[in-house]
Amino acid sequence: MGIRGFVPFCPWNWCLLLATLQCCGASSELNRSTDSSARRELNVRYAAASSQPAETISVFTLDYDYVQIPYEVTLWILLASLAKIGFHLNRRLPGLMPESCLLILVGALVGAVIFGTDHKSPPVMDSSIYFLYLLPPIVLESGYFMPTRPFFENLGSILWWAGLGALLNAFGIGLSLYLICQVPAFGLGDINLLQNLLFGSLISAVDPVAVLAVFEEARVNEQLYMMIFGEALLNDGISVVLYNILIAFTKMHKFEDIEPVDILAGCARFVIVGCGGAFFGVIFGFISAFITRFTQNISAIEPLIVFMFSYLSYLVAETLYLSGILAITACAVTMKKYVEENVSQTSYTTIKYFMKMLSSVSETLIFIFMGVSTIGKNHEWNWAFICFTLVFCQIWRAISVFVLFYVSNQFRTFPFSIKDQCVIFYSGVRGAGSFSLAFLLPLSLFPRKKLFVTATLVVIYFTVFIQGITVGPLVRYLDVRKTNKKESINEELHTRLMDHLKAGVEDVCGQWSHYQVRDKFKKFDHKYLRKILIRKNLPKSSLVSLYKKLEMKQAVEMVESGVLSSTAFSTPRRAQRTQETKRLSPEDVASMRDILTHNMYQVRQRTLSYNKYNLQPQTSEKQAKEILIRRRNTFRESVKKGHSLPWGKPAGTKNIRYLSFPYSKPLPAGRDMKVAEFTDHDGSDSELPPITFNTHSPTGTIQERRWTPEVIPMKRLHGAGTPLHFGYRRNAGREEHLGRGGRAILRPKPLFHAVDEEFESEEESEEETPAFGSLLSSELRPGGDCNVSHSPLLQRK
Amino acid sequence: MGAAHSASEEVRELEGKTGFSSDQIEQLHRRFKQLSGDQPTIRKENFNNVPDLELNPIRSKIVRAFFDNRNLRKGSSGLADEINFEDFLTIMSYFRPIDTTMDEEQVQLCRKEKLRFLFHMYDSDSGGRITLEEYRNVVEELLSGNPHIEKESARSIADGAMMEAASVCVGQMEPDQVYEGITFDDFLKSRKNPNVRAQLTSKEADGGGSVLRSGSHLRGHHDLAGHRHRDQDARPLP
């Protein structure tokens, strides 16, 4: 805050700063903890200095007016970011309430400070700023992160629900409020029908992003999630279009009466605005995808292309009076798929983060504005209007949900249950969109604008705080059908098989469904679109190999400096190992699922991770992990080949098994020692599920031989090294698992070290000498016997 | 057989057996004739005429399922050489949705039938168990659409799935015990967990897709997932 500069300052300059001081004092209120005392001090000096003349050239001046707007905006965003950090540092809070609650609270706080200091907040929000700068990033972000496949699978229902639902809500609320306004006792006679309809349209714009976070946590079923997501995506667009048309009507109404033709024209316009916008979006999406095809040498420009073209689509659509929102959404959806393949990995990451950042900045600003305008004198409280607004919002949402879903359920094979509908009804949380639209109402046309703003704020506060906080418990209480997100590999395989089976049977009976539509599009896509839009020589694989070489170098360096003791996942993993010896680790399951998801023909992608405020660590972090793991793998390879180890032991197949002994010495003798010894021998049995397909059969006779081909080679699952390449870039989790052996070398830890190496040696030796297996089994018999008695001990380790 | 649609009694009989409506039977019969080339029976080669099926990675498994005696309720193993229209309907009836009017027991029964069909997809040698070999085979086929995937990874997925199944179904095993494969009971057992069962219901009954179609008369027969077949759009074969 600028205040610190004043302290060493000469008194005669104070008068020059008269004007600026006031601003500073106000803005410094943002810095709540320090400023109150500082300001008092200032006021004292200010009083003393005011008598001085102001003619001299100042050595130090302060021009706060010049920087006021960006200065305060920066502070707001910073404050909101700090609040977010605090919010997420707290463990319980994020589970209790949505993040928008926090933003609103911060906004209200800022508003209170501004109000308390009589400071006039900078005019950040006006119609053109909102529509040209604040809205596009928000829409772009939600369009870009839309899970494409489930969206198009549920397209019919989404359009039906989001489109018609918004209209029904808007007109329902508008008309019923109009009826209320006719009651003379409420003193609302001057609000005419159009104004009511307009209010209805803006208040029906739901923003259920907060609900989505809850859904994701509760893992509700996919359809339900997509309904809400689709609503969030399309609702804004529809409300804004409706809002603009109604504003146009209102303006017209000033001069002449509206004729039925105009209403028809308005309806036609509604359609044209929507479709035209989407059309332009698709065109621009293709163009930008095409351009990114040629950017391989200047990849720094790639994010720029993406953002500029999306923005251009918005602007072009707006110039033509089409829906810019739909245009930018369509643009994002179209180009996403191709751009992702064209651009370099870093650009891709940049695009994603930048998008999140921009949209969160926009939203923060809107919420802070909301807070600022909550506390102030610009309110008009009318009990009747506000209460009825609240009631009608709920009633009409209930009506539209139950009616529309009743209708669409007639056509759906799997209908939405009453529970689902209840949750959809309850997730009608209003947000920044409604407020902005209300705030931007032209005062000249809407004399009761203050009332509208107040009513909107009340609805937003009610829905965000009460519904937003309680929707989580409600979902849990109703026990809504869960998604099949994180379950077992078996389930996943069955699902996949089922998917293909379904598609196949549909083919056999020659029926036509969205499976076929998608199939047709895919063929077209492969035949033409991809050839045109995507780079021919995707550098990914060669990049990876180059990368590996570099990593190899670095890995050696890192080992030498001892940096590689990453705690990130070594400790949790070990804990998991001991707890979950019976199951595959979740990482494995996840990576296997990834492979299944991304590498099969005609399957659904189940990536439904969406958070308005943050990116899931999924891709980027996985990549980082992969790099680390690659490092380890490559390093281990070098170790295997007999390169020198840091501790200078030759890494022979046999010798490596005894490497653990020097390290297990510190262990107390006796039982522990025995355990260590035992692990050394029979590691595979104790480390892996005891029920495993055991290589060492006790009898070791016919049965064993019979099952040999069926025996699962454990090392392949757990100890195997590089030959396992899962797909091209989705192998992080998997390799992490595989990399454990490498880590064991690097971070010697007696038990696990021995165990891991055991696998490796087994793998190698088994391939060389088939007889070794039986040798091993006979040799290890006693170990196998103590397996049962020792395994609990081991698991505690 | 070929006269199924003319002889209304026959149609009624089929209705009773398979649960399809006469409309649906007629539409399916049209399709059947298209597939068979106006012959009374379909042979395996006839399925080569379905162009879209060629892209399906588990094509052979699907075709095989049509001729599987177990699915045709004609025996406990082996394959039929050819199937007639009634058999065709029998297979199709596995893909009908579960009737909402049925009571709980029937629903369970129906579900079990569907699962058995799925189980037979895996268990290709009719041995009553999904052995590791068979499981690997399926996974390899599933992943065959992508050339980047190595066989090795497909195998280890199958291995992992098998291990998981073993740990779910058998629990603690003696160290010398060998898990021979997933039996049908095991197959069902993995769904005892209510969570998993909920998913399965969704899978059977919905498949995740929204099928918002116009015209209620289109609500013809359904596949396993319950997708409505738009029968009158039956594409002509090339």
Side-chain angles (χ1 to χ4, degrees):
Chain A
M1 312 266 74
I3 303 156
R4 265 173 235 132
F6 299 144
V7 183
F9 206 61
C10 308
W12 66 70
N13 273 6
W14 287 119
C15 48
L16 286 174
L17 308 175
L18 277 186
T20 47
L21 266 180
Q22 215 127 26
C23 304
C24 267
S27 75
S28 68
E29 289 290 340
L30 295 168
N31 205 344
R32 307 179 307 283
S33 54
T34 55
D35 60 0
S36 58
S37 58
R39 204 157 50 85
R40 213 169 296 132
E41 187 189 14
L42 274 177
N43 284 341
V44 175
R45 295 191 179 194
Y46 161 78
S50 55
S51 57
Q52 303 255 339
E55 254 81 70
T56 45
I57 289 176
S58 55
V59 178
F60 181 94
T61 50
L62 204 75
D63 192 358
Y64 183 71
D65 281 337
Y66 177 61
V67 294
Q68 186 197 4
I69 293 176
Y71 189 89
E72 291 184 6
V73 166
T74 311
L75 287 179
W76 291 353
I77 294 170
L78 216 65
L79 185 68
S81 307
L82 291 179
K84 275 187 196 177
I85 293 173
F87 181 73
H88 285 286
L89 276 181
N90 190 325
R91 275 202 199 140
R92 278 187 26 247
L93 221 51
L96 279 178
M97 58 161 147
E99 212 171 300
S100 43
C101 291
L102 175 86
L103 287 177
I104 292 175
L105 284 180
V106 170
L109 212 90
V110 173
V113 170
I114 289 178
F115 183 70
T117 55
D118 278 339
H119 174 64
K120 200 177 164 298
S121 64
V124 171
M125 187 103 129
D126 66 26
S127 179
S128 68
I129 288 180
Y130 175 72
F131 281 110
L132 288 183
Y133 306 114
L134 292 181
L135 187 58
I138 297 178
V139 181
L140 177 66
E141 188 258 2
S142 59
Y144 195 84
F145 288 96
M146 181 188 87
T148 321
R149 203 183 288 248
F151 179 81
F152 283 109
E153 259 175 16
N154 292 297
L155 186 67
S157 296
I158 289 174
L159 284 181
W160 172 258
W161 156 239
L164 222 61
L167 291 180
L168 198 63
N169 262 302
F171 285 104
I173 294 171
L175 289 174
S176 18
L177 278 176
Y178 179 65
L179 289 181
I180 293 300
C181 290
Q182 299 311 301
V183 180
F186 295 142
L188 297 163
D190 58 327
I191 304 178
N192 63 24
L193 178 63
L194 260 180
Q195 291 176 351
N196 268 318
L197 284 179
L198 196 84
F199 180 69
S201 80
L202 67 89
I203 203 76
S204 65
V206 298
D207 183 14
V209 171
V211 178
L212 286 183
V214 172
F215 279 11
E216 201 162 303
E217 202 181 319
R219 289 201 234 136
V220 301
N221 62 73
E222 198 176 74
Q223 315 173 43
L224 184 56
Y225 184 93
M226 276 324 294
M227 279 302 123
I228 302 293
F229 194 98
E231 193 184 10
L233 190 69
L234 297 179
N235 215 291
D236 267 351
I238 289 161
S239 320
V240 170
V241 171
L242 200 61
Y243 176 87
N244 283 332
I245 290 175
L246 285 173
I247 287 260
F249 270 140
T250 320
K251 279 179 184 158
M252 240 166 67
H253 196 48
K254 277 273 172 191
F255 307 108
E256 62 204 282
D257 271 335
I258 299 163
E259 287 172 30
V261 184
D262 292 325
I263 294 174
L264 270 182
C267 294
R269 174 108 195 255
F270 188 82
V271 174
I272 294 212
V273 161
C275 296
F279 174 76
F280 269 98
V282 171
I283 298 284
F284 275 95
F286 280 132
I287 293 176
S288 71
F290 184 67
I291 287 179
T292 51
R293 194 185 155 173
F294 305 106
T295 51
Q296 61 266 47
N297 295 329
I298 29 165
S299 53
I301 261 181
E302 283 165 349
L304 203 64
I305 297 276
V306 168
F307 284 106
M308 290 304 115
F309 268 100
S310 341
Y311 193 43
L312 198 64
S313 72
Y314 182 85
L315 294 180
V316 167
E318 287 290 304
T319 329
L320 297 170
Y321 286 104
L322 300 174
S323 166
I325 295 181
L326 288 178
I328 200 168
T329 309
C331 182
V333 171
T334 317
M335 75 175 160
K336 177 186 176 191
K337 186 179 164 195
Y338 305 105
V339 164
E340 263 179 26
E341 291 199 37
N342 274 338
V343 301
S344 68
Q345 198 56 46
T346 37
S347 304
Y348 176 56
T349 315
T350 314
I351 291 170
K352 284 197 302 183
Y353 272 90
F354 211 69
M355 228 168 242
K356 283 283 173 200
M357 197 193 76
L358 283 181
S359 84
S360 102
V361 163
S362 286
E363 211 179 47
T364 307
L365 281 180
I366 295 172
F367 274 123
I368 287 189
F369 246 97
M370 205 163 102
V372 168
S373 51
T374 307
I375 297 169
K377 292 175 195 133
N378 50 348
H379 289 295
E380 184 189 339
W381 191 269
N382 183 316
W383 276 104
F385 189 80
I386 286 165
C387 291
F388 277 109
T389 305
L390 207 54
V391 169
F392 284 138
C393 278
Q394 304 299 337
I395 290 178
W396 278 101
R397 187 161 173 94
I399 291 175
S400 60
V401 167
F402 293 117
V403 168
L404 291 177
F405 279 102
Y406 177 77
V407 175
S408 73
N409 272 349
Q410 303 299 309
F411 297 97
R412 285 182 71 90
T413 30
F414 195 83
F416 286 95
S417 67
I418 288 293
K419 281 179 188 175
D420 289 347
Q421 295 179 25
C422 283
V423 171
I424 292 175
F425 154 70
Y426 203 69
S427 58
V429 173
R430 267 68 173 178
S434 303
F435 166 73
S436 328
L437 294 181
F439 190 79
L440 298 176
L441 286 174
L443 195 60
S444 54
L445 295 173
F446 297 88
R448 303 291 289 265
K449 179 189 167 185
K450 283 181 178 177
L451 178 62
F452 287 160
V453 172
T454 312
T456 311
L457 282 175
V458 169
V459 172
I460 292 173
Y461 277 62
F462 179 84
T463 52
V464 167
F465 280 92
I466 295 180
Q467 286 179 208
I469 289 173
T470 51
V471 74
L474 182 83
V475 167
R476 278 186 285 276
Y477 173 75
L478 283 179
D479 194 25
V480 175
R481 211 156 53 76
K482 297 286 196 293
T483 178
N484 37 6
K485 228 174 161 183
K486 297 209 164 91
E487 284 298 332
S488 68
I489 285 285
N490 277 299
E491 278 305 308
E492 194 69 18
L493 282 173
H494 298 333
T495 318
R496 303 299 173 189
L497 192 76
M498 204 96 97
D499 278 351
H500 291 296
L501 180 61
K502 268 164 3 194
V505 170
E506 280 178 5
D507 285 333
V508 168
C509 22
Q511 73 114 81
W512 189 91
S513 79
H514 63 275
Y515 273 118
Q516 261 72 24
V517 180
R518 190 164 67 207
D519 211 33
K520 286 276 155 0
F521 175 74
K522 266 200 162 168
K523 274 184 202 153
F524 176 72
D525 186 46
H526 269 278
K527 244 183 179 167
Y528 306 106
L529 289 181
R530 291 177 72 86
K531 282 199 182 127
I532 299 169
L533 298 176
I534 290 181
R535 267 176 217 170
K536 283 215 176 71
N537 46 345
L538 281 171
K540 251 165 202 142
S541 50
S542 62
L543 257 186
V544 168
S545 61
L546 185 76
Y547 212 43
K548 258 189 169 174
K549 275 182 207 158
L550 289 174
E551 290 307 323
M552 178 67 199
K553 256 190 204 167
Q554 278 183 352
V556 175
E557 284 167 15
M558 281 173 86
V559 168
E560 276 163 6
S561 58
V563 191
L564 233 113
S565 55
S566 152
T567 50
F569 49 86
S570 57
T571 34
R573 278 213 55 89
R574 194 162 299 141
Q576 241 170 35
R577 288 288 297 172
T578 46
Q579 277 168 14
E580 289 198 282
T581 35
K582 285 186 81 181
R583 284 203 165 220
L584 289 173
S585 73
E587 281 94 341
D588 278 351
V589 175
S591 65
M592 285 183 180
R593 178 168 298 112
D594 269 347
I595 297 165
L596 289 169
T597 309
H598 293 285
N599 294 295
M600 288 206 317
Y601 145 96
Q602 232 191 35
V603 284
R604 272 173 290 155
Q605 271 171 322
R606 273 157 228 271
T607 40
L608 283 182
S609 256
Y610 179 79
N611 181 339
K612 182 109 181 181
Y613 306 106
N614 206 358
L615 276 168
Q616 298 295 316
Q618 243 178 350
T619 24
S620 51
E621 224 160 79
K622 260 193 181 171
Q623 253 134 23
K625 270 189 191 171
E626 186 186 344
I627 291 165
L628 251 179
I629 284 143
R630 283 239 168 89
R631 253 176 210 167
R632 286 171 189 167
N633 273 350
T634 39
F635 180 70
R636 191 173 55 151
E637 259 178 278
S638 75
V639 166
K640 261 192 196 169
K641 280 168 196 151
H643 291 248
S644 63
L645 281 166
W647 46 87
K649 276 244 178 187
T653 325
K654 266 260 174 200
N655 284 351
I656 207 147
R657 296 176 61 196
Y658 300 102
L659 260 177
S660 65
F661 280 116
Y663 293 91
S664 47
K665 265 174 193 158
L667 281 171
R671 268 161 75 108
D672 279 351
M673 190 63 199
K674 211 165 137 198
V675 173
E677 207 178 287
F678 148 66
T679 342
D680 206 23
H681 285 298
D682 210 25
S684 61
D685 281 350
S686 45
E687 174 87 356
L688 291 167
I691 40 94
T692 46
F693 320 83
N694 212 324
T695 4
H696 335 115
S697 175
T699 43
T701 49
I702 316 134
Q703 207 202 3
E704 188 195 10
R705 220 157 288 145
R706 211 182 97 211
W707 286 109
T708 312
E710 309 260 342
V711 157
I712 289 188
M714 287 308 157
K715 27 86 191 192
R716 211 158 273 142
L717 269 171
H718 290 271
T722 34
L724 251 183
H725 273 294
F726 273 106
Y728 12 20
R729 47 179 222 256
R730 307 279 178 184
N731 40 3
R734 182 69 188 168
E735 288 203 8
E736 174 188 322
H737 200 139
L738 301 176
R740 233 181 324 108
R743 198 174 63 236
I745 299 178
L746 305 172
R747 297 180 36 140
K749 181 93 184 186
L751 286 180
F752 287 87
H753 169 65
V755 166
D756 283 322
E757 287 318 313
E758 166 87 6
F759 291 133
E760 242 167 63
S761 61
E762 209 175 89
E763 172 186 16
E764 283 167 17
S765 53
E766 205 174 81
E767 271 150 26
E768 284 159 19
T769 51
F772 187 74
S774 57
L775 185 77
L776 198 73
S777 65
S778 59
E779 179 190 275
L780 296 181
R781 217 50 327 266
D785 286 338
C786 50
N787 180 11
V788 185
S789 56
H790 274 289
S791 51
L793 241 176
L794 240 164
Q795 290 188 350
R796 235 187 299 141
K797 266 277 135 193
Chain B
M1 277 295 102
H5 63 294
S6 57
S8 60
E9 259 180 47
E10 213 167 328
V11 171
R12 217 165 293 141
E13 196 188 316
L14 286 175
E15 265 178 57
K17 265 187 198 167
T18 59
F20 287 115
S21 74
S22 54
D23 248 13
Q24 293 166 340
I25 290 179
E26 200 162 312
Q27 278 162 347
L28 279 174
H29 188 247
R30 229 177 293 145
R31 181 65 184 172
F32 180 82
K33 277 200 293 188
Q34 252 180 351
L35 282 173
S36 66
D38 269 337
Q39 298 299 307
T41 56
I42 291 185
R43 306 182 68 85
K44 265 189 184 164
E45 300 82 69
N46 293 106
F47 282 94
N48 295 338
N49 297 339
V50 186
D52 295 292
L53 205 55
E54 262 163 44
L55 288 176
N56 204 313
I58 56 162
R59 178 180 175 281
S60 63
K61 288 244 179 301
I62 294 173
V63 174
R64 200 189 153 90
F66 274 87
F67 295 91
D68 198 319
N69 277 334
R70 290 169 297 174
N71 295 335
L72 296 169
R73 302 182 181 119
K74 281 184 176 167
S76 59
S77 66
L79 292 175
D81 286 332
E82 48 186 25
I83 52 169
N84 58 26
F85 181 58
E86 194 182 333
D87 299 332
F88 187 69
L89 276 188
T90 311
I91 299 293
M92 282 300 163
S93 68
Y94 284 103
F95 295 86
R96 287 179 57 247
I98 295 174
D99 250 324
T100 44
T101 52
M102 283 194 286
D103 58 29
E104 187 60 26
E105 201 174 316
Q106 277 174 309
V107 168
Q108 286 304 329
L109 212 69
C110 193
R111 193 166 286 164
K112 208 167 169 184
E113 280 297 299
K114 286 168 189 283
L115 284 174
R116 202 177 281 281
F117 186 89
L118 191 66
F119 181 75
H120 291 159
M121 298 274 295
Y122 286 100
D123 182 20
S124 46
D125 69 350
S126 312
R129 283 175 195 279
I130 304 170
T131 59
L132 186 59
E133 243 1 89
E134 284 165 349
Y135 214 148
R136 280 179 182 172
N137 197 345
V138 171
V139 177
E140 270 169 33
E141 270 186 38
L142 277 177
L143 292 172
S144 64
N146 191 316
H148 299 285
I149 293 275
E150 288 164 43
K151 259 199 167 157
E152 194 67 16
S153 44
R155 291 181 68 168
S156 49
I157 288 179
D159 295 353
M162 200 68 172
M163 259 180 32
E164 191 187 74
S167 68
V168 169
C169 302
V170 186
Q172 200 77 13
M173 250 182 156
E174 295 302 309
D176 51 317
Q177 218 172 328
V178 173
Y179 189 61
E180 297 178 13
I182 306 167
T183 62
F184 186 60
D185 285 336
D186 292 345
F187 199 66
L188 293 177
K189 207 188 263 177
S190 61
R191 291 163 180 83
K192 285 288 186 278
N193 172 357
N195 228 355
V196 180
R197 183 149 38 176
Q199 296 158 14
L200 195 82
T201 324
S202 82
K203 247 171 276 157
E204 271 168 20
D206 109 66
S210 103
V211 194
L212 195 68
R213 302 257 177 80
S214 55
S216 58
H217 65 282
L218 289 183
R219 295 166 63 195
H221 63 277
H222 303 62
D223 66 4
L224 187 60
H227 285 299
R228 267 156 211 151
H229 291 221
R230 203 165 178 176
D231 303 39
Q232 85 236 48
D233 277 1
R235 280 162 300 172
L237 295 171

